[in-house]
Amino acid sequence: ADKIRVAIAGYGNLGRGVEAALAQNPDMQLVGVFSRREPSSVALLDGKVPVYAMADIEQYQNDVDVMILCGGSKADLPEHGPYLAQFFNTVDSFDTHAKVNEYHAALDEPARKAGKLALMSVGWDPGLFSLNRLFGETILPQGETYTFWGKGLSQGHSDAVRRVEGVKKGVQYTLPSQDAIARVRNGEQPELTTREKHVRECFIVLEDGADEDTVRNSIVTMPDYFEPFDTTVNFIDEATFAAEHSAMPHGGFVIRSGDTGTQSKQSIEYSLALGSNPEFTASVLVAYTRAVHKMAQAGETGARSVFDVAPGLLSPKTPAQLRKDLL
Ligand code: NDP
């Protein structure tokens, strides 16, 4: 069968991850990368396809089955999504929760008009975690849903740590509070604030002559960022920092804790431990790209979310193969 022709719009961490993920899926083929930067300045992981100027993207309407949008949620996708839905079937990882319905409406109209399909907010959260929240609250209507994030690198808090005097290099990870998770798993259905759900952990390389206690104190007392949380500060050398703290890990848990008819306690738990947040998110985008292609071929148009995609469509296997292998 012909391969699904896929292109990438925006080439940052996620774009690189999509390139790598496509290489693991032989039924799909990367045909090009589009960037707002000067194409010759964009170095691909594996330079086998051309980089084109985003300004010329309309010219490639007939060469691409699905466009994967890899711009940032804050400033890029609100513009790229509705614009590109006029020309391509699209998949994106829009994650600004407060604006999901606004964004859906902005995609839906141009996509319908053009007879294209636009799948929004694909990834792990939103994305796989959203599906698991849906399973949880639908299957156990009497109960509570908990989402914990981490261990994950937090960009904003890492920047804040690096601004502390005496800090040469620093990163901050957010971790789920083990105590809070234990209470949820125990079926207590506690009411937890964001503060109670997470703890913060910093890894710091000091400037020459800087004092550990002074730096630690400046960090843990920083208002808003660290003061409200349980924060630990670890001091390490530069070699350890380079070896152990250069990746972008993330992950977390979705737990539904409920009870059924006879008061029996029931618990559903889904967890992710990700060595690289962007590479994993990209792998989810690529699986959903296959679904978008099948749905578009079947004549579906307009905006969709992960809730609208049947799981079997994610797989390269036929429905019969899936029943035989996985049912
Ligand atoms: P990046 O900042 O790495 O990339 C965003 C855009 O910035 C790129 O598309 C690229 O566009 C531009 N860019 C990248 N590198 C450079 C550079 N060196 N110079 C100039 N411009 C550059 O963001 P990520 O790829 O890490 O993340 C993208 C989005 O993915 C996030 O905003 C987040 O919303 C979403 N996300 C969603 C998740 C989910 O679970 N749903 C999980 C993780 C992320 P161009 O090529 O046009 O210049």
Side-chain angles (χ1 to χ4, degrees), residues 10-14 34-37 54 70-73 76 93 95 122-126 277 281:
Y11 195 77
N13 297 313
L14 204 53
F34 294 86
S35 176
R36 289 160 295 182
R37 283 165 285 158
M54 193 82 88
C70 296
S73 286
D76 299 337
S93 69
D95 70 356
V122 172
W124 60 278
D125 197 357
N277 177 7
T281 303

PDB file of all heavy atoms in Angstrom, residues 10-14 34-37 54 70-73 76 93 95 122-126 277 281, ligand 1:
ATOM      1  N   GLY A  10       6.925  23.394  11.833  1.00  0.00           N
ATOM      2  CA  GLY A  10       7.584  23.888  13.046  1.00  0.00           C
ATOM      3  C   GLY A  10       8.554  22.839  13.553  1.00  0.00           C
ATOM      4  O   GLY A  10       8.165  21.716  13.850  1.00  0.00           O
ATOM      5  N   TYR A  11       9.818  23.208  13.639  1.00  0.00           N
ATOM      6  CA  TYR A  11      10.829  22.190  13.961  1.00  0.00           C
ATOM      7  C   TYR A  11      11.612  22.549  15.216  1.00  0.00           C
ATOM      8  O   TYR A  11      12.732  23.021  15.158  1.00  0.00           O
ATOM      9  CB  TYR A  11      11.764  22.012  12.755  1.00  0.00           C
ATOM     10  CG  TYR A  11      12.608  20.755  12.829  1.00  0.00           C
ATOM     11  CD1 TYR A  11      12.062  19.520  12.541  1.00  0.00           C
ATOM     12  CD2 TYR A  11      13.945  20.825  13.202  1.00  0.00           C
ATOM     13  CE1 TYR A  11      12.827  18.369  12.610  1.00  0.00           C
ATOM     14  CE2 TYR A  11      14.728  19.678  13.266  1.00  0.00           C
ATOM     15  CZ  TYR A  11      14.155  18.452  12.978  1.00  0.00           C
ATOM     16  OH  TYR A  11      14.909  17.313  13.049  1.00  0.00           O
ATOM     17  N   GLY A  12      10.990  22.343  16.384  1.00  0.00           N
ATOM     18  CA  GLY A  12      11.679  22.468  17.674  1.00  0.00           C
ATOM     19  C   GLY A  12      11.860  21.085  18.276  1.00  0.00           C
ATOM     20  O   GLY A  12      12.084  20.112  17.554  1.00  0.00           O
ATOM     21  N   ASN A  13      11.730  20.976  19.601  1.00  0.00           N
ATOM     22  CA  ASN A  13      11.867  19.671  20.268  1.00  0.00           C
ATOM     23  C   ASN A  13      10.857  18.656  19.749  1.00  0.00           C
ATOM     24  O   ASN A  13      11.186  17.504  19.474  1.00  0.00           O
ATOM     25  CB  ASN A  13      11.645  19.834  21.775  1.00  0.00           C
ATOM     26  CG  ASN A  13      12.694  20.721  22.412  1.00  0.00           C
ATOM     27  OD1 ASN A  13      13.878  20.551  22.163  1.00  0.00           O
ATOM     28  ND2 ASN A  13      12.261  21.678  23.218  1.00  0.00           N
ATOM     29  N   LEU A  14       9.607  19.114  19.639  1.00  0.00           N
ATOM     30  CA  LEU A  14       8.537  18.220  19.204  1.00  0.00           C
ATOM     31  C   LEU A  14       8.738  17.808  17.740  1.00  0.00           C
ATOM     32  O   LEU A  14       8.549  16.645  17.381  1.00  0.00           O
ATOM     33  CB  LEU A  14       7.201  18.954  19.383  1.00  0.00           C
ATOM     34  CG  LEU A  14       5.937  18.153  19.543  1.00  0.00           C
ATOM     35  CD1 LEU A  14       6.058  17.133  20.649  1.00  0.00           C
ATOM     36  CD2 LEU A  14       4.773  19.111  19.833  1.00  0.00           C
ATOM     37  N   PHE A  34       8.484  22.149   7.396  1.00  0.00           N
ATOM     38  CA  PHE A  34       8.247  23.565   7.143  1.00  0.00           C
ATOM     39  C   PHE A  34       8.653  24.369   8.374  1.00  0.00           C
ATOM     40  O   PHE A  34       8.309  23.999   9.497  1.00  0.00           O
ATOM     41  CB  PHE A  34       6.773  23.803   6.817  1.00  0.00           C
ATOM     42  CG  PHE A  34       6.356  23.168   5.517  1.00  0.00           C
ATOM     43  CD1 PHE A  34       5.935  21.839   5.475  1.00  0.00           C
ATOM     44  CD2 PHE A  34       6.438  23.883   4.338  1.00  0.00           C
ATOM     45  CE1 PHE A  34       5.581  21.241   4.279  1.00  0.00           C
ATOM     46  CE2 PHE A  34       6.091  23.288   3.126  1.00  0.00           C
ATOM     47  CZ  PHE A  34       5.661  21.956   3.096  1.00  0.00           C
ATOM     48  N   SER A  35       9.380  25.463   8.140  1.00  0.00           N
ATOM     49  CA  SER A  35       9.848  26.286   9.248  1.00  0.00           C
ATOM     50  C   SER A  35       9.739  27.759   8.891  1.00  0.00           C
ATOM     51  O   SER A  35       9.856  28.132   7.718  1.00  0.00           O
ATOM     52  CB  SER A  35      11.303  25.938   9.579  1.00  0.00           C
ATOM     53  OG  SER A  35      11.792  26.803  10.589  1.00  0.00           O
ATOM     54  N   ARG A  36       9.550  28.580   9.951  1.00  0.00           N
ATOM     55  CA  ARG A  36       9.546  30.032   9.719  1.00  0.00           C
ATOM     56  C   ARG A  36      10.954  30.576   9.616  1.00  0.00           C
ATOM     57  O   ARG A  36      11.159  31.699   9.189  1.00  0.00           O
ATOM     58  CB  ARG A  36       8.809  30.736  10.868  1.00  0.00           C
ATOM     59  CG  ARG A  36       7.322  30.496  10.859  1.00  0.00           C
ATOM     60  CD  ARG A  36       6.726  30.771  12.197  1.00  0.00           C
ATOM     61  NE  ARG A  36       7.222  29.822  13.185  1.00  0.00           N
ATOM     62  CZ  ARG A  36       6.832  29.796  14.446  1.00  0.00           C
ATOM     63  NH1 ARG A  36       5.975  30.680  14.889  1.00  0.00           N
ATOM     64  NH2 ARG A  36       7.311  28.894  15.288  1.00  0.00           N
ATOM     65  N   ARG A  37      11.930  29.768  10.061  1.00  0.00           N
ATOM     66  CA  ARG A  37      13.309  30.232   9.941  1.00  0.00           C
ATOM     67  C   ARG A  37      13.825  29.989   8.517  1.00  0.00           C
ATOM     68  O   ARG A  37      13.215  29.251   7.744  1.00  0.00           O
ATOM     69  CB  ARG A  37      14.197  29.476  10.938  1.00  0.00           C
ATOM     70  CG  ARG A  37      14.052  29.976  12.362  1.00  0.00           C
ATOM     71  CD  ARG A  37      14.635  29.006  13.341  1.00  0.00           C
ATOM     72  NE  ARG A  37      13.758  27.849  13.521  1.00  0.00           N
ATOM     73  CZ  ARG A  37      14.152  26.651  13.968  1.00  0.00           C
ATOM     74  NH1 ARG A  37      15.414  26.443  14.250  1.00  0.00           N
ATOM     75  NH2 ARG A  37      13.288  25.673  14.112  1.00  0.00           N
ATOM     76  N   MET A  54       7.901  28.152   5.620  1.00  0.00           N
ATOM     77  CA  MET A  54       6.486  28.085   6.016  1.00  0.00           C
ATOM     78  C   MET A  54       5.632  28.954   5.089  1.00  0.00           C
ATOM     79  O   MET A  54       4.476  28.621   4.809  1.00  0.00           O
ATOM     80  CB  MET A  54       6.348  28.566   7.460  1.00  0.00           C
ATOM     81  CG  MET A  54       5.029  28.272   8.100  1.00  0.00           C
ATOM     82  SD  MET A  54       4.908  26.597   8.749  1.00  0.00           S
ATOM     83  CE  MET A  54       5.567  26.841  10.403  1.00  0.00           C
ATOM     84  N   CYS A  70       3.853  21.339  15.007  1.00  0.00           N
ATOM     85  CA  CYS A  70       4.766  21.209  16.146  1.00  0.00           C
ATOM     86  C   CYS A  70       5.175  22.551  16.731  1.00  0.00           C
ATOM     87  O   CYS A  70       6.205  22.671  17.387  1.00  0.00           O
ATOM     88  CB  CYS A  70       5.994  20.396  15.745  1.00  0.00           C
ATOM     89  SG  CYS A  70       5.584  18.702  15.301  1.00  0.00           S
ATOM     90  N   GLY A  71       4.377  23.574  16.504  1.00  0.00           N
ATOM     91  CA  GLY A  71       4.645  24.878  17.106  1.00  0.00           C
ATOM     92  C   GLY A  71       4.215  24.898  18.563  1.00  0.00           C
ATOM     93  O   GLY A  71       3.570  23.969  19.048  1.00  0.00           O
ATOM     94  N   GLY A  72       4.552  25.971  19.252  1.00  0.00           N
ATOM     95  CA  GLY A  72       4.184  26.121  20.661  1.00  0.00           C
ATOM     96  C   GLY A  72       2.708  26.439  20.817  1.00  0.00           C
ATOM     97  O   GLY A  72       2.097  27.081  19.962  1.00  0.00           O
ATOM     98  N   SER A  73       2.137  25.981  21.948  1.00  0.00           N
ATOM     99  CA  SER A  73       0.699  26.179  22.183  1.00  0.00           C
ATOM    100  C   SER A  73       0.339  27.644  22.415  1.00  0.00           C
ATOM    101  O   SER A  73      -0.752  28.078  22.099  1.00  0.00           O
ATOM    102  CB  SER A  73       0.259  25.404  23.421  1.00  0.00           C
ATOM    103  OG  SER A  73       0.207  24.048  23.139  1.00  0.00           O
ATOM    104  N   ASP A  76       2.087  29.960  18.762  1.00  0.00           N
ATOM    105  CA  ASP A  76       2.121  29.429  17.390  1.00  0.00           C
ATOM    106  C   ASP A  76       0.816  28.768  16.963  1.00  0.00           C
ATOM    107  O   ASP A  76       0.239  29.101  15.921  1.00  0.00           O
ATOM    108  CB  ASP A  76       3.254  28.405  17.236  1.00  0.00           C
ATOM    109  CG  ASP A  76       4.628  28.999  17.501  1.00  0.00           C
ATOM    110  OD1 ASP A  76       4.771  30.236  17.377  1.00  0.00           O
ATOM    111  OD2 ASP A  76       5.556  28.228  17.826  1.00  0.00           O
ATOM    112  N   SER A  93      -0.742  19.433  19.227  1.00  0.00           N
ATOM    113  CA  SER A  93      -0.664  19.090  20.657  1.00  0.00           C
ATOM    114  C   SER A  93      -1.064  20.279  21.531  1.00  0.00           C
ATOM    115  O   SER A  93      -0.532  20.459  22.621  1.00  0.00           O
ATOM    116  CB  SER A  93       0.750  18.639  21.003  1.00  0.00           C
ATOM    117  OG  SER A  93       1.623  19.751  20.928  1.00  0.00           O
ATOM    118  N   ASP A  95      -2.113  22.621  24.186  1.00  0.00           N
ATOM    119  CA  ASP A  95      -2.289  22.233  25.594  1.00  0.00           C
ATOM    120  C   ASP A  95      -2.715  23.371  26.519  1.00  0.00           C
ATOM    121  O   ASP A  95      -2.531  23.290  27.738  1.00  0.00           O
ATOM    122  CB  ASP A  95      -1.034  21.533  26.127  1.00  0.00           C
ATOM    123  CG  ASP A  95       0.152  22.477  26.290  1.00  0.00           C
ATOM    124  OD1 ASP A  95       0.038  23.660  25.930  1.00  0.00           O
ATOM    125  OD2 ASP A  95       1.201  22.019  26.784  1.00  0.00           O
ATOM    126  N   VAL A 122      -3.478  16.484  20.981  1.00  0.00           N
ATOM    127  CA  VAL A 122      -2.986  15.110  21.046  1.00  0.00           C
ATOM    128  C   VAL A 122      -1.630  15.105  21.748  1.00  0.00           C
ATOM    129  O   VAL A 122      -0.824  16.009  21.549  1.00  0.00           O
ATOM    130  CB  VAL A 122      -2.844  14.547  19.610  1.00  0.00           C
ATOM    131  CG1 VAL A 122      -2.157  13.195  19.628  1.00  0.00           C
ATOM    132  CG2 VAL A 122      -4.205  14.462  18.941  1.00  0.00           C
ATOM    133  N   GLY A 123      -1.392  14.124  22.580  1.00  0.00           N
ATOM    134  CA  GLY A 123      -0.123  14.029  23.312  1.00  0.00           C
ATOM    135  C   GLY A 123      -0.396  13.169  24.525  1.00  0.00           C
ATOM    136  O   GLY A 123      -1.206  12.242  24.447  1.00  0.00           O
ATOM    137  N   TRP A 124       0.237  13.490  25.668  1.00  0.00           N
ATOM    138  CA  TRP A 124      -0.084  12.690  26.874  1.00  0.00           C
ATOM    139  C   TRP A 124      -0.947  13.468  27.841  1.00  0.00           C
ATOM    140  O   TRP A 124      -1.863  12.913  28.427  1.00  0.00           O
ATOM    141  CB  TRP A 124       1.159  12.077  27.487  1.00  0.00           C
ATOM    142  CG  TRP A 124       2.212  13.037  27.938  1.00  0.00           C
ATOM    143  CD1 TRP A 124       3.168  13.626  27.149  1.00  0.00           C
ATOM    144  CD2 TRP A 124       2.427  13.512  29.266  1.00  0.00           C
ATOM    145  NE1 TRP A 124       3.957  14.447  27.917  1.00  0.00           N
ATOM    146  CE2 TRP A 124       3.524  14.386  29.222  1.00  0.00           C
ATOM    147  CE3 TRP A 124       1.800  13.266  30.488  1.00  0.00           C
ATOM    148  CZ2 TRP A 124       4.009  15.034  30.355  1.00  0.00           C
ATOM    149  CZ3 TRP A 124       2.277  13.900  31.627  1.00  0.00           C
ATOM    150  CH2 TRP A 124       3.375  14.775  31.544  1.00  0.00           C
ATOM    151  N   ASP A 125      -0.720  14.772  28.010  1.00  0.00           N
ATOM    152  CA  ASP A 125      -1.656  15.583  28.785  1.00  0.00           C
ATOM    153  C   ASP A 125      -1.650  16.998  28.255  1.00  0.00           C
ATOM    154  O   ASP A 125      -0.734  17.754  28.561  1.00  0.00           O
ATOM    155  CB  ASP A 125      -1.307  15.565  30.270  1.00  0.00           C
ATOM    156  CG  ASP A 125      -2.498  16.036  31.107  1.00  0.00           C
ATOM    157  OD1 ASP A 125      -3.521  16.402  30.507  1.00  0.00           O
ATOM    158  OD2 ASP A 125      -2.400  16.020  32.343  1.00  0.00           O
ATOM    159  N   PRO A 126      -2.647  17.361  27.454  1.00  0.00           N
ATOM    160  CA  PRO A 126      -3.819  16.572  27.075  1.00  0.00           C
ATOM    161  C   PRO A 126      -3.474  15.445  26.099  1.00  0.00           C
ATOM    162  O   PRO A 126      -2.474  15.509  25.412  1.00  0.00           O
ATOM    163  CB  PRO A 126      -4.735  17.595  26.390  1.00  0.00           C
ATOM    164  CG  PRO A 126      -3.828  18.661  25.891  1.00  0.00           C
ATOM    165  CD  PRO A 126      -2.696  18.719  26.863  1.00  0.00           C
ATOM    166  N   ASN A 277      10.040  13.997  27.310  1.00  0.00           N
ATOM    167  CA  ASN A 277       8.677  14.478  27.094  1.00  0.00           C
ATOM    168  C   ASN A 277       8.399  14.747  25.604  1.00  0.00           C
ATOM    169  O   ASN A 277       7.436  14.218  25.051  1.00  0.00           O
ATOM    170  CB  ASN A 277       8.499  15.729  27.974  1.00  0.00           C
ATOM    171  CG  ASN A 277       7.148  16.391  27.809  1.00  0.00           C
ATOM    172  OD1 ASN A 277       6.257  15.885  27.151  1.00  0.00           O
ATOM    173  ND2 ASN A 277       6.995  17.553  28.429  1.00  0.00           N
ATOM    174  N   THR A 281       5.660  12.646  23.358  1.00  0.00           N
ATOM    175  CA  THR A 281       4.518  13.379  22.809  1.00  0.00           C
ATOM    176  C   THR A 281       4.471  13.214  21.294  1.00  0.00           C
ATOM    177  O   THR A 281       3.408  12.998  20.700  1.00  0.00           O
ATOM    178  CB  THR A 281       4.624  14.871  23.193  1.00  0.00           C
ATOM    179  OG1 THR A 281       4.709  14.965  24.619  1.00  0.00           O
ATOM    180  CG2 THR A 281       3.437  15.666  22.695  1.00  0.00           C
TER     181      THR A 281
HETATM  182  P1  NDP B   1       9.988  24.471  21.008  1.00  0.00           P
HETATM  183  O1  NDP B   1      10.126  25.794  21.677  1.00  0.00           O
HETATM  184  O2  NDP B   1      11.168  23.553  20.956  1.00  0.00           O
HETATM  185  O3  NDP B   1       9.501  24.706  19.493  1.00  0.00           O
HETATM  186  C1  NDP B   1       8.402  25.530  19.166  1.00  0.00           C
HETATM  187  C2  NDP B   1       8.682  26.257  17.842  1.00  0.00           C
HETATM  188  O4  NDP B   1       9.751  27.176  18.029  1.00  0.00           O
HETATM  189  C3  NDP B   1       9.149  25.323  16.735  1.00  0.00           C
HETATM  190  O5  NDP B   1       8.045  24.763  16.059  1.00  0.00           O
HETATM  191  C4  NDP B   1      10.005  26.221  15.861  1.00  0.00           C
HETATM  192  O6  NDP B   1       9.242  26.795  14.805  1.00  0.00           O
HETATM  193  C5  NDP B   1      10.498  27.287  16.826  1.00  0.00           C
HETATM  194  N1  NDP B   1      11.919  27.030  17.143  1.00  0.00           N
HETATM  195  C6  NDP B   1      12.436  25.920  17.664  1.00  0.00           C
HETATM  196  N2  NDP B   1      13.782  25.999  17.778  1.00  0.00           N
HETATM  197  C7  NDP B   1      14.110  27.217  17.362  1.00  0.00           C
HETATM  198  C8  NDP B   1      15.335  27.903  17.232  1.00  0.00           C
HETATM  199  N3  NDP B   1      16.501  27.321  17.550  1.00  0.00           N
HETATM  200  N4  NDP B   1      15.292  29.169  16.772  1.00  0.00           N
HETATM  201  C9  NDP B   1      14.124  29.743  16.461  1.00  0.00           C
HETATM  202  N5  NDP B   1      12.944  29.137  16.537  1.00  0.00           N
HETATM  203  C10 NDP B   1      12.923  27.878  16.984  1.00  0.00           C
HETATM  204  O7  NDP B   1       8.745  23.769  21.704  1.00  0.00           O
HETATM  205  P2  NDP B   1       8.486  22.197  21.866  1.00  0.00           P
HETATM  206  O8  NDP B   1       8.667  21.546  20.551  1.00  0.00           O
HETATM  207  O9  NDP B   1       9.256  21.679  23.031  1.00  0.00           O
HETATM  208  O10 NDP B   1       6.946  22.144  22.296  1.00  0.00           O
HETATM  209  C11 NDP B   1       5.915  22.546  21.411  1.00  0.00           C
HETATM  210  C12 NDP B   1       4.568  22.460  22.106  1.00  0.00           C
HETATM  211  O11 NDP B   1       4.212  21.121  22.374  1.00  0.00           O
HETATM  212  C13 NDP B   1       4.489  23.113  23.484  1.00  0.00           C
HETATM  213  O12 NDP B   1       4.136  24.468  23.371  1.00  0.00           O
HETATM  214  C14 NDP B   1       3.406  22.343  24.182  1.00  0.00           C
HETATM  215  O13 NDP B   1       2.212  23.070  24.117  1.00  0.00           O
HETATM  216  C15 NDP B   1       3.226  21.106  23.354  1.00  0.00           C
HETATM  217  N6  NDP B   1       3.330  19.895  24.196  1.00  0.00           N
HETATM  218  C16 NDP B   1       2.203  19.177  24.423  1.00  0.00           C
HETATM  219  C17 NDP B   1       2.233  18.042  25.205  1.00  0.00           C
HETATM  220  C18 NDP B   1       0.987  17.209  25.385  1.00  0.00           C
HETATM  221  O14 NDP B   1       1.054  16.213  26.095  1.00  0.00           O
HETATM  222  N7  NDP B   1      -0.132  17.528  24.777  1.00  0.00           N
HETATM  223  C19 NDP B   1       3.480  17.613  25.867  1.00  0.00           C
HETATM  224  C20 NDP B   1       4.645  18.405  25.511  1.00  0.00           C
HETATM  225  C21 NDP B   1       4.549  19.523  24.721  1.00  0.00           C
HETATM  226  P3  NDP B   1       9.958  27.167  13.392  1.00  0.00           P
HETATM  227  O15 NDP B   1      10.592  25.909  12.863  1.00  0.00           O
HETATM  228  O16 NDP B   1       8.832  27.631  12.542  1.00  0.00           O
HETATM  229  O17 NDP B   1      10.962  28.214  13.707  1.00  0.00           O
END
